[in-house]
Amino acid sequence: MVEQRFDAIVVGAGPSGNAAAYTLAKEGLNVLQLERGEYAGSKNVQGAILYSDALEKLIPNFREDAPLERHVIEQRLWMLDDASYTGMHYRSEEFNEEKPNRYTIIRAQFDKWFSQKVRDAGATVLYETTVKELIRNTSGKVIGVQTDREDGAVMADVVILAEGVNGLVGQRSGLRDELKPDTVALAVKEMHFLPRDVIESRFNLKGDEGVVIEAMGSVTLGMTGTAFLYTNEESISVGIGCLVSDFTEKREAPYELLERFKSHPAIAPLLAGSEVKEYAAHLIPEGGYNAIPSLFGDGWLMVGDAGHFVNAVHREGSNLAMTTGRVAAETVVRLHRMRKEMTKANLAEYQERLEKTFVLKDMRKYRKIPAFLHGNKETLFGLYPRLLSKAAQTWFRVDGLDKKAKEKAIVSSFRQARTLRGMIGDAFKLARAWR
């Protein structure tokens, strides 16, 4: 094992860990990054969305060599019932800008590229190295980590935990609680490969343009969750995820839920003729602001999924991960240059800095939404999508019935389901939660 002391140790090489290690190394600190996988991204075969603003703050010229798939010009939001969808699309030629705002990426490729940037910046990166526990001094301050390597103890002034949602090191060290089934989702994903020209024809795209589809409704069988489809250069990422507590309660198999989504009449034609080469499952923190653990202490900081930094309402994760990693590193750099100890009191600056960013502002704003969605899952993800579909079909079907009669039929269907007042009430509840 490395026999020296470091200014900082970063545990994990995902977006948050790479952002932290890169920032520290670029500022001249002696950094060790530890990753248990064979290489950065080795455990992430799935596609994802990259938000350029967060990465530009780290690597302004990332577009020159980053493994980007397609820039997103169209967003589709669908509410599904068993045979149809009610949706909203937004597509703009302005998204074909010189520096696009969102890209689809394949995590295995992107994480590997980002890790190389970390090494180029001067950090020491060790793969296939598992951190077993934190090392503390007699006063309880974290002063290093114990790894699974021979002579595996390594010391540092501060340890940044970017180990992902499972957060086993943090749990074993008493820094965070075990995951609660109602605050974490299990997502299953597949990569479907198709020729580039087929994807572009099927989604009305040209060049590197891309489409993102996000869906909710009866496809999750009354469970709290969403499904998605992203277009990559020569593949399509498709997946679905629901709260672990709902999977347990309903006794539904995640892969069967994915098959149900793939066979939906709105999705099946988009995947027709594709070859499935990759399948993955992973956990996503969905508890929101109220699930965020302590983020700092004597000698340690927590970033990314380990800190539950996912905006489940807006389906954002990578931007929060990179931002928290960068802000944590900037805090450490400042304290290092001022020759201040990495104590809990001094590291509190990390959370103070986060309070000024979109990360905690957004998560605090939507802190009531996860509980609202979970508490009303049967209607929001089951009954309402079916009623809206029935109403739309009644309205758009031209069958000799006058429009006044159609309006009465639509209102009657809602009254029979005893949901009209319920929908109005839920709308007010959601508005209050949104504030």
Side-chain angles (χ1 to χ4, degrees):
M1 191 63 187
V2 181
E3 295 183 3
Q4 69 177 105
R5 183 181 182 86
F6 290 86
D7 295 324
I9 294 173
V10 178
V11 181
S16 64
N18 283 333
Y22 180 82
T23 301
L24 292 166
K26 285 286 286 185
E27 294 297 329
L29 273 68
N30 189 17
V31 186
L32 173 65
Q33 185 180 35
L34 302 172
E35 164 60 34
R36 62 188 176 90
E38 183 180 355
Y39 55 86
S42 63
K43 305 182 296 297
N44 295 308
V45 302
Q46 75 270 15
I49 301 297
L50 173 71
Y51 303 90
S52 61
D53 178 73
L55 187 55
E56 280 177 334
K57 287 181 170 60
L58 293 159
I59 308 174
N61 63 341
F62 75 89
R63 294 178 179 84
E64 294 179 3
D65 59 353
L68 308 173
E69 292 293 307
R70 292 179 178 273
H71 66 275
V72 180
I73 68 159
E74 182 177 337
Q75 176 81 45
R76 305 179 188 178
L77 301 174
W78 290 355
M79 181 174 283
L80 307 175
D81 76 344
D82 296 337
S84 63
Y85 71 87
T86 305
M88 180 182 75
H89 293 192
Y90 182 74
R91 180 178 179 126
S92 175
E93 188 64 26
E94 292 186 6
F95 286 137
N96 282 316
E97 52 203 333
E98 182 181 356
K99 296 182 177 181
N101 178 253
R102 293 190 299 164
Y103 296 88
T104 58
I105 58 171
I106 297 174
R107 280 286 304 275
Q109 299 173 8
F110 178 79
D111 289 1
K112 199 171 184 178
W113 168 85
F114 204 167
S115 183
Q116 182 60 55
K117 293 295 183 183
V118 173
R119 297 195 299 274
D120 291 345
T124 300
V125 182
L126 296 181
Y127 304 116
E128 298 182 286
T129 304
T130 300
V131 174
K132 299 168 65 176
E133 62 183 356
L134 300 175
I135 299 174
R136 302 174 186 266
N137 62 16
T138 55
S139 64
K141 182 178 183 294
V142 173
I143 57 173
V145 299
Q146 181 69 43
T147 73
D148 60 352
R149 293 197 174 203
E150 185 177 355
D151 299 324
V154 58
M155 305 300 173
D157 295 337
V158 65
V159 175
I160 298 179
L161 295 171
E163 53 181 336
V165 63
N166 288 316
L168 296 179
V169 177
Q171 288 181 32
R172 286 194 292 261
S173 303
L175 305 184
R176 50 173 284 180
D177 296 331
E178 291 187 14
L179 293 175
K180 297 179 180 178
D182 61 348
T183 63
V184 64
L186 175 61
V188 289
K189 305 180 179 183
E190 288 181 348
M191 294 288 286
H192 289 245
F193 287 80
L194 283 168
R196 182 186 182 109
D197 61 325
V198 173
I199 292 175
E200 292 171 1
S201 174
R202 205 165 275 184
F203 291 88
N204 189 26
L205 303 171
K206 64 180 185 296
D208 293 327
E209 295 174 342
V211 170
V212 168
I213 300 173
E214 294 177 322
M216 60 176 285
S218 61
V219 69
T220 59
L221 300 176
M223 296 186 288
T224 307
T226 56
F228 68 86
L229 183 152
Y230 307 149
T231 57
N232 302 313
E233 191 171 318
E234 294 183 329
S235 65
I236 295 174
S237 302
V238 60
I240 193 167
C242 294
L243 290 180
V244 171
S245 58
D246 285 351
F247 276 126
T248 302
E249 178 186 332
K250 293 279 189 177
R251 297 184 180 277
E252 295 288 344
Y255 68 88
E256 291 180 353
L257 208 65
L258 179 58
E259 290 300 317
R260 178 183 174 87
F261 178 58
K262 287 160 49 183
S263 64
H264 191 279
I267 297 297
L270 302 177
L271 302 176
S274 63
E275 180 182 3
V276 183
K277 292 186 178 181
E278 296 171 347
Y279 174 91
H282 75 285
L283 297 174
I284 303 173
E286 296 276 342
Y289 182 82
N290 294 329
I292 295 176
S294 297
L295 300 175
F296 61 92
D298 279 332
W300 63 272
L301 296 168
M302 196 173 295
V303 300
D305 282 6
H308 280 255
F309 287 114
V310 169
N311 185 335
V313 177
H314 289 275
R315 318 308 305 161
E316 295 178 15
S318 66
N319 54 335
L320 281 75
M322 288 186 284
T323 300
T324 56
R326 173 179 60 81
V327 172
E330 289 173 348
T331 302
V332 171
V333 169
R334 180 179 176 280
L335 295 176
H336 176 80
R337 287 177 175 169
M338 296 180 67
R339 300 180 183 275
K340 288 189 175 182
E341 291 289 320
M342 301 294 171
T343 62
K344 180 177 182 179
N346 289 335
L347 289 172
E349 180 183 322
Y350 165 52
Q351 182 152 345
E352 293 170 3
R353 285 171 173 253
L354 280 184
E355 294 285 357
K356 299 176 182 178
T357 71
F358 74 94
V359 175
L360 287 182
K361 289 180 180 179
D362 285 353
M363 294 195 71
R364 183 180 292 106
K365 175 179 174 60
Y366 302 119
R367 65 188 182 279
K368 297 180 181 179
I369 300 295
F372 171 80
L373 295 176
H374 191 44
N376 297 274
K377 59 187 177 183
E378 295 290 347
T379 51
L380 294 174
F381 298 94
L383 180 60
Y384 290 174
R386 291 188 175 93
L387 287 174
L388 288 174
S389 175
K390 184 178 180 180
Q393 187 166 145
T394 298
W395 185 254
F396 290 117
R397 185 182 290 275
V398 179
D399 51 9
L401 195 65
D402 64 273
K403 298 300 185 283
K404 186 68 174 178
K406 286 181 177 288
E407 291 173 2
K408 290 182 178 179
I410 291 171
V411 172
S412 177
S413 68
F414 278 84
R415 282 177 174 167
Q416 288 176 8
R418 298 181 180 179
T419 58
L420 189 57
R421 289 185 178 180
M423 288 187 73
I424 295 173
D426 285 343
F428 278 109
K429 290 177 186 176
L430 182 59
R432 287 196 296 269
W434 208 270
R435 292 198 299 268

